[in-house]
Amino acid sequence: MDFATLSAARYSLRKFSDRPVEPEKLAVVLEAAHNAPTAHNNQPQRVFVLQSREALEKADECMDSHFAPPMILAVAYDPEVAWKRAQDGKNHGEIDASIACAQIMLQAADLGLGTTYVGMFDPDKLLAAFPEMAGLVPIALIPIGYPAEGAHPARLHTTRIPLEEMVQTL
């Protein structure tokens, strides 16, 4: 499908089937995160594939929303690797990791998979549950999998502010 159709059709999936994500599809999704543009190409984004029952349960305990997906991608960044803007020291790691999240979600949608960007989680609890993330800043948990029967976009999915309100030409 073309990009305009894909970006309009993609929605936050909240009802997952228990069908596992095929390793080859996961590899394509992870490559999309790997190819994401980053400031000065420093590539501070880090992705953790949570798919064991234990890992999914630990992640679920850190989240405010519960979707029972077959897999969660935890996205973080390394603040030491991320580019910092000279003028004010702004660390661009969160921006870089967010771009990787967008590419993950769009690539997944292109493969027939659904995702949800979850920012409602306890980062300290997540870091304690996953010592492999030490030194990183987690920004999102992305449940990923196939839509369950009857899954559909939320009622506000297509509600948008007018384009003229969002865009200004100067």
Side-chain angles (χ1 to χ4, degrees), residues 19-93:
R19 178 180 168 190
V21 175
E22 297 87 344
E24 55 275 9
K25 285 191 177 184
L26 174 61
V28 173
V29 168
L30 295 175
E31 191 60 32
H34 188 231
N35 289 331
T38 61
H40 284 251
N41 200 30
N42 285 15
Q43 303 172 46
Q45 72 272 30
R46 302 292 182 263
V47 181
F48 296 84
V49 179
L50 311 178
Q51 59 186 356
S52 71
R53 190 168 50 111
E54 177 189 8
L56 291 169
E57 287 172 0
K58 289 194 307 187
D60 191 64
E61 290 174 11
C62 301
M63 297 167 45
D64 293 344
S65 302
H66 309 283
F67 303 111
M71 179 182 294
I72 296 173
L73 301 181
V75 181
Y77 71 92
D78 186 333
E80 298 304 315
V81 173
W83 179 73
K84 290 104 183 151
R85 186 169 48 209
Q87 291 82 354
D88 62 359
K90 166 75 175 150
N91 186 310
H92 280 244

Side-chain angles (χ1 to χ4, degrees), residues 39-165:
H40 284 251
N41 200 30
N42 285 15
Q43 303 172 46
Q45 72 272 30
R46 302 292 182 263
V47 181
F48 296 84
V49 179
L50 311 178
Q51 59 186 356
S52 71
R53 190 168 50 111
E54 177 189 8
L56 291 169
E57 287 172 0
K58 289 194 307 187
D60 191 64
E61 290 174 11
C62 301
M63 297 167 45
D64 293 344
S65 302
H66 309 283
F67 303 111
M71 179 182 294
I72 296 173
L73 301 181
V75 181
Y77 71 92
D78 186 333
E80 298 304 315
V81 173
W83 179 73
K84 290 104 183 151
R85 186 169 48 209
Q87 291 82 354
D88 62 359
K90 166 75 175 150
N91 186 310
H92 280 244
E94 185 165 3
I95 297 164
D96 293 339
S98 295
I99 294 168
C101 288
Q103 292 203 179
I104 285 169
M105 293 184 296
L106 290 168
Q107 180 63 75
D110 190 51
L111 296 170
L113 299 167
T115 58
T116 297
Y117 183 104
V118 177
M120 293 174 30
F121 65 93
D122 183 330
D124 292 330
K125 196 171 180 180
L126 187 71
L127 291 169
F130 296 97
E132 302 85 353
M133 295 183 194
L136 302 177
V137 179
I139 66 148
L141 296 171
I142 303 177
I144 183 170
Y146 287 95
E149 189 172 325
H152 56 80
R155 66 179 175 79
L156 296 176
H157 172 69
T158 57
T159 302
R160 299 284 183 261
I161 63 171
L163 190 61
E164 297 78 23
E165 189 177 321

